[in-house]
Each structure stands twice: as structure tokens, then as C-alpha cells.
Amino acid sequence: LAVAAGDDIFFHRSAVKVLLDPVSGALLGVARWPWREGEDWALWIAEWPALRLFISDLCTDLVGAVPLVNAARLEKVAHQGDAFHERAWWTEKVFEPPSRREHYRAQGALLTWDGATRVKGPGRRVSAATVEAAEARRARAEEDFYDAVRLEELFLCLLESLSPEGKLWSDARVEDLLAQFAREAGALPEKFATLIRRHVHRHRARWCAHRVLWDHIPVTLHPDVSATRADVLAAVVALRWACQRESRATEWSEARAAQQEQERLRAQLETWCSNVAEVAAWVTSLIEHPRRSSSLVEAFNSRLRVLQMVHRNVSDHLLALVALAWNLSPRQEGKRRGPSPYARLGIDFADDTRPWHQILLQQMDAN
């Protein structure tokens, strides 16, 4: 496994560490673990020598674990900030304060309008200039909120598999987008702009870390070709876009141009690379299933909440049994609908023709 996602959940007020494969959904490790330091998560991550990307939220123990693992490895592990928790951070820290301010100013503007337009009642009528000033303050607060939304949309580009232009990410393109982000953050009030800039700058290496997986796509070049593996990956991505343009074309000329581009790219790729189909499968997987979120841990957490309500006491053995049932149960709905997580990983005994407990009993008898 080259990528894993991890997080702590709390079960009967006891910390439970969860490590899983975000692609298949298979749980790789579940255990009560009361300690929450970087060294603890480093022990869990170090169990997987082929790991190249670790996805988690940005708590200090998780942030501190990856450098400890990398200190003992030649092949470094990249740390990807979790999209699920980042969206929650933006909602709580960035969107809610200006939303409350806009609501407060809207209430003040309504009172001002009422004071300017009421027919009856004591006191002087509010002047038009006061009404305009109150409405301007409300409008400014509303615009601050939408500026924050546009800024989040720009930030989320870093979590996408491809750049906004639909091409492979490069260090220069990441830096350009971060610089654009810093400039556009200046449109917000200084308090919010400083908070956002500090957060994004502190973890700048963790927003687009998922692109390290592109470096591990196996590309076999033909001898004596001048093309590089980067050229092959770029051509495969361009071929994918050409196929989409053909399927969405409404004019014959557009569809024909897309077909001609596909023919040219396929001929080029056959000249450059001997495992084009394998590379294309990897590219499709990374684009359609970006490795950027540990939200599946929260899905397992919701399963444990039901268990917590049914059983007064849940032993470690029962916890492990629930994890095994999770790994051996086919999915009936959702984007992972179909084979069980273990079957997706190709584990030989994890077929989907029998209930999970029958598979377990057979393995117990075999041992």
C-alpha cells in the first residue's frame, strides 16, 4: 500500500486509533491507544514500509509523526492535509464570523430602514444618509463573506489531482497558486486575512502532497526514446481530456478534432511507452479517486457509535471483530458499491459469495 489515512476517534471516552486505505476502504489497524503523541502515530505508520502518502488532519501528534518516520527512511512519506477537516476549519474559523457580522449588520440596516419609513411613532425620522451608511455596512459584510467563499474555492484547487488548467502539478504552479491566494486574501478584513494566511502558510507543504503518488506510477519507456516519464503522464492526461471533449461535443467539427487528437496521442504513446494501459489505469484512479481525505474514518466512527449504544462494554476483541466485518462485507450503496474492501485489495480468502462470519469460521478452522 502506498497511501493510508489515519485519525483518532473516541469510544467510551477512550482514544481509538484507526488506520485505513482510502481507496478500497479497508481498515488496516484499529485499537485502543490512550497515548496521543507524535511517537505513537509514528509507530503505526512505520508498519507500512511501502507507504508514500499519509492523510490526516493537522493535529500536532499527526503532524509530528511523519518527520519521525522519515528520519529512519530513504523513501520519504509525504503528509497530505485532510480535505474533510479543512472544509470544517473554513466553516468554523472563516465563514461563521463574517456570516454573524453580516446578520448583525442586516438587522441594524432593517431597523434603520424602519426608522426612516415608519408613518407613526415618536422621535425624528432617520435621514437618507444614515440609511445609506447602514446599507453600505451590510453590503460590505456580505461581500466579505463571498470573498471568503471565493478564497476557499481557490484553496481547494490545491487538493485536486490536476491543476486548474487540467495539467499535472509542478512546484512552480503550486507556488504561483499560493502566491495568488495570499494576494486575494488581502481583500478580507485584516483579522480574517491574517488567520487564513498563517494557517495556509504553516502547512503549505501539506496541501498538494498527494501529487507524490504520480511519481510512483510505473512507466516503462521504450529504449532510445527522447521522451520522459513526465511526457508520458502529460500525454495520458491530454488523451483523457480529448476523450471527454469528444463525448461532450455538440458540433461535428469539435468531435472530429477530438478524435484526431486522440489518434495522435495514442500513436505517440505507443512509440514512447510499453505499458500504456497500466499507466492510463493509474492516471484514471488518481483523477477519479483523489487521495486527499480521511473522512472514511468518520464513517467507521458512526458504525462504532451504534455499537456503543447496543453494548455497555466493548472489548478490544469485539472491536477487532467489527473491523473484520467491515473489511469482509460488500457495499450495497455509495461510490464503493460492490466488492468488499478486502476483495478490492485482492486478498485471496475475501470472496463475496459467503457472509463474513462464514469466512471467519473457515479461517479459524484452517488455523
Side-chain angles (χ1 to χ4, degrees), residues 123-358:
R124 298 176 58 185
R125 299 296 179 263
V126 177
S127 66
T130 303
V131 172
E132 290 177 0
E135 184 63 24
R137 287 195 298 271
R138 182 209 61 78
R140 180 64 261 176
E142 183 180 49
E143 187 60 30
D144 287 342
F145 178 82
Y146 286 112
D147 284 342
V149 171
R150 286 189 287 269
L151 199 62
E152 187 207 28
E153 291 176 350
L154 182 62
F155 166 77
L156 292 177
C157 291
L158 291 169
L159 306 183
E160 296 295 332
S161 300
L162 299 173
S163 71
E165 299 77 26
K167 298 180 180 180
L168 299 178
W169 284 104
S170 64
D171 292 339
R173 185 65 186 94
V174 172
E175 292 300 322
D176 286 345
L177 196 143
L178 286 170
Q180 179 186 355
F181 180 90
R183 289 193 302 271
E184 296 191 11
L188 292 173
E190 185 60 29
K191 179 175 67 173
F192 301 127
T194 301
L195 173 70
I196 295 169
R197 285 194 185 111
R198 184 181 296 129
H199 177 72
V200 172
H201 182 78
R202 174 197 271 179
H203 302 289
R204 61 189 297 125
R206 298 184 176 94
W207 304 131
C208 205
H210 55 83
R211 63 194 177 101
V212 71
L213 296 177
W214 290 78
D215 298 332
H216 296 278
I217 296 178
V219 177
T220 305
L221 297 173
H222 288 303
D224 302 325
V225 296
S226 59
T228 64
R229 69 185 313 277
D231 295 330
V232 172
L233 293 176
V236 172
V237 171
L239 178 61
R240 177 182 174 83
W241 289 126
C243 292
Q244 289 191 8
R245 284 197 300 274
E246 180 189 1
S247 64
R248 298 171 182 173
T250 57
E251 299 290 338
W252 179 87
S253 58
E254 296 175 1
R256 183 55 184 157
Q259 291 173 353
Q260 291 175 335
E261 184 178 0
Q262 291 175 51
E263 293 171 2
R264 178 183 63 81
L265 289 169
R266 287 194 177 97
Q268 203 171 51
L269 285 168
E270 290 297 332
T271 305
W272 290 348
C273 180
S274 60
N275 64 332
V276 176
E278 183 182 4
V279 173
W282 271 100
V283 168
T284 299
S285 175
L286 290 178
I287 293 176
E288 295 184 355
H289 306 286
R291 282 65 156 167
R292 62 188 180 195
S293 179
S294 62
S295 57
L296 199 57
V297 177
E298 305 302 331
F300 181 68
N301 188 15
S302 64
R303 182 73 62 87
L304 289 185
R305 295 302 174 198
V306 177
L307 189 70
Q308 188 177 15
M309 290 187 290
V310 174
H311 297 271
R312 177 174 296 178
N313 296 308
V314 178
S315 65
D316 288 342
H317 299 296
L318 181 55
L319 191 62
L321 194 63
V322 172
L324 183 64
W326 170 284
N327 286 336
L328 289 173
S329 299
R331 300 299 186 257
Q332 303 300 324
E333 56 185 3
K335 65 180 182 180
R336 293 181 179 84
R337 181 173 60 251
S340 67
Y342 268 178
R344 289 179 183 274
L345 285 178
I347 297 177
D348 55 359
F349 68 82
D351 62 78
D352 293 326
T353 59
R354 296 169 295 159
W356 69 269
H357 48 83
Q358 290 186 9

